[in-house]
Amino acid sequence: MKKNPVKVALRAGEPQVGTWLSFGDLTATRLLARVGFPWLTIDLEHSPIDWNQAAMLIGAIADAGCVPLVRVPEGRHDHIKRVLDAGAHGIIVPMVNTVEQAKVAIAAAKYPPQGNRSVGGATHALNFDATAGDYYKYANDEILVILQTESPEGVDNAEEIYALEGVDAIFVGPNDLRAQMRTPDGTDPTVEEFEAMLARIVATGKKTGTPVGLHVQTVDDVNQRVAEGWQFIALGSDLKMLVTQAQELISGLNPSEEASDLARY
């Protein structure tokens, strides 16, 4: 059975920079899986990608030698089970604010006795170049479990969450964290307040030995965050890449054309 190289690298302290998939387009995914990203994440939380599309994308990414990850809509057992049975090499679980939520997600990703994932499916083994028997035997070792810290509550509970057995990495969605940090009157946090919150996450990751990561938009951002201690980093998305490149072309043709705020990620 194939090893999960992203899981191995994160354990070794090596940064892993991938990108996000929002379109659900098979051809675009096949190309992105071959440009050099070690992992690609299919976003089922904020995109219209359906389960069958996701399964096709997962297989295409795996066949290209890239690691297919899926952000599930929510940390429910059925969501996690379905993407893993479709062959994902790992999950990203949004809005994990409490230890109990974290335990539910971890258990859903692990076969007994470590968890309560049920046995079934076929494409999971195909995507690891394994027999069904070997998949059931070794999946717990290779599946990557990444939990998202996206709120002050999640940061307050971070040390206990990050220290749980089965947590392979933590991921921050900056937009959601900023939104969750708003005051009751809707005021956004200052840059200093936001960076202080991120610093708490990095410090907790170092204390517990858990890799932490976040979403950024430029290579300069990647370099800055890696220097700060972040490891699992998402650089843009297929959606953001297309919109940004198109806007740059339009700006070259018509410098007076102001770029619209069409895509944050």
Side-chain angles (χ1 to χ4, degrees), residues 156-215:
D156 289 341
N157 293 324
E159 185 170 343
E160 194 173 355
I161 292 171
Y162 298 6
L164 290 172
E165 185 176 355
V167 178
D168 296 306
I170 297 297
F171 186 71
V172 175
N175 282 347
D176 274 315
L177 182 57
R178 284 193 189 94
Q180 293 288 328
M181 290 176 66
R182 287 174 183 152
T183 60
D185 66 357
T187 302
D188 285 332
T190 64
V191 172
E192 292 77 17
E193 289 169 336
F194 181 69
E195 289 298 325
M197 190 70 80
L198 292 182
R200 287 178 61 189
I201 293 169
V202 173
T204 305
K206 290 178 179 177
K207 183 176 181 179
T208 59
T210 307
V212 297
L214 78 172
H215 215 136

Side-chain angles (χ1 to χ4, degrees), residues 27-38:
T27 300
T29 297
R30 292 183 66 200
L31 291 168
L32 281 174
R34 287 167 170 79
V35 301
F37 289 118

Side-chain angles (χ1 to χ4, degrees), residues 85-142:
D85 283 353
H89 290 198
I91 55 168
I92 299 177
V93 183
M95 293 292 181
V96 178
N97 298 320
T98 68
V99 172
E100 185 55 38
Q101 289 173 327
K103 287 180 177 179
V104 168
I106 295 166
K110 304 286 186 180
Y111 289 122
Q114 289 90 345
N116 53 29
R117 181 182 172 188
S118 62
V119 176
T123 55
H124 44 39
L126 291 178
N127 288 356
F128 274 95
D129 291 339
T131 64
D134 280 346
Y135 180 84
Y136 297 135
K137 183 176 181 179
Y138 298 113
N140 284 359
D141 298 328
E142 302 305 328

